[in-house]
Each structure stands twice: as C-alpha cells, then as structure tokens.
Amino acid sequence: MALFLGQFENKIDKKGRVSVPAPFRSILGAPTGNVAFFFPPDKSPSLEGGGPDRLEKLQERLDQLGEFTPEYQRLQLMFNDAIELPFDPEGRIMLPRKQIERAQIDEIALFVGSGRTFQVWAPANYAAHRERVEQVQNAAANLPPASQGGAAA
C-alpha cells in the first residue's frame, strides 16, 4: 500500500477549490471518480484526509467496540463530521467553507503526508504545531530515567 508522504502547498481559490497534490491523488486513485474523505482530527486546527480504505479501517474498529464506550462515541462523531469530496477533472476538490474555517486556512493549504492519511493545514498553524511537538520531544529526551524499583532509602 502506498503511503502519503511529504509536504505540498497549494492555493485555494475563492470558491474553496484546491488542487490535491499529484502524489496524493495517485494514491487516492483520482481522477477516476474516487474521492477524498475529510474529517476533523481530535484537537488540531486542521483536516485529516484519506481514501475509502481509511474509513473502512475506522468502521472495523467501530464494529469491535461496545456501543457505549467513549472510543465508540468518538469514532461515531468522526463519521458524523466526515465529508466526501469528489475530484473535478483537474484533480481539485472543493473544501466547504465550514471546513476551511475550522482549519483556519486562508489562501494556502499545506498538505502534509501522515502515512495512511494526510492532513491539510494553514502553513503557520502547522509550523506552530510542529514546533510544539519538537519541544515536547526535546523535553522528554532530557528527563532523567525513571527509577527501577521502589522508594529511595
């Protein structure tokens, strides 16, 4: 299975149309009638995208969970918020205004590969997100090792 890799910036026109990067389109099978599915991730101001296989994996996970568990309810909300966006003949999708506002994207959309999925960010928000992640990693790397055993004598 091909993976979504790299970063690509594309301009969004006034109607909300944006060209999905060619490597991402080829993984999704565009423009042969396939679609990209987008849903908001848990906490970041971005959109997460992928193809039908991603939704199938989420559905398989949902089928394994108890109906009243928090994870079941979280996944169910992801399906509620997911949108299906077909490609036009030029390989563009039209992001709804609500999704553009949620991701705080103005004129440029940054597509970021994340393995089996990809994300769409405002470039400045992604830079801030990446910096926070790197700060957390650096802080964790500088923590002293956890003690082995019980309390100190």
Side-chain angles (χ1 to χ4, degrees):
M1 167 184 247
L3 300 176
F4 296 101
L5 304 173
Q7 297 179 26
F8 305 87
E9 285 188 2
N10 285 332
K11 188 173 174 101
I12 296 181
D13 71 15
K14 299 225 184 282
K15 294 181 181 180
R17 294 179 300 201
V18 62
S19 180
V20 175
F24 291 10
R25 285 195 314 262
S26 68
I27 294 169
L28 293 166
T32 60
N34 287 347
V35 295
F37 291 91
F38 286 88
F39 44 93
D42 287 338
K43 297 179 181 159
S44 65
S46 65
L47 300 171
E48 186 171 338
D53 58 325
R54 173 68 171 144
L55 289 181
E56 288 172 18
K57 293 275 187 205
L58 289 173
Q59 183 61 52
E60 288 170 9
R61 179 71 183 132
L62 193 65
D63 291 343
Q64 296 171 0
L65 296 170
E67 209 173 315
F68 300 104
T69 63
E71 187 178 0
Y72 181 96
Q73 293 173 359
R74 184 182 65 81
L75 286 172
Q76 195 172 45
L77 287 176
M78 287 176 68
F79 276 100
N80 296 158
D81 293 339
I83 55 174
E84 199 175 315
L85 300 174
F87 290 94
D88 70 10
E90 287 82 38
R92 298 176 300 186
I93 55 172
M94 185 177 296
L95 288 173
R97 180 69 33 211
K98 179 181 176 184
Q99 304 297 12
I100 291 171
E101 290 171 0
R102 189 203 178 285
Q104 302 171 359
I105 298 171
D106 288 324
E107 298 175 1
I108 302 292
L110 176 64
F111 288 78
V112 180
S114 297
R116 296 188 195 283
T117 63
F118 61 93
Q119 297 174 332
V120 184
W121 291 81
N125 287 347
Y126 179 72
H129 166 75
R130 186 175 177 118
E131 185 175 321
R132 280 190 303 274
V133 169
E134 290 171 352
Q135 287 174 349
V136 168
Q137 289 174 340
N138 289 338
N142 293 323
L143 288 175
S147 66
Q148 303 288 328

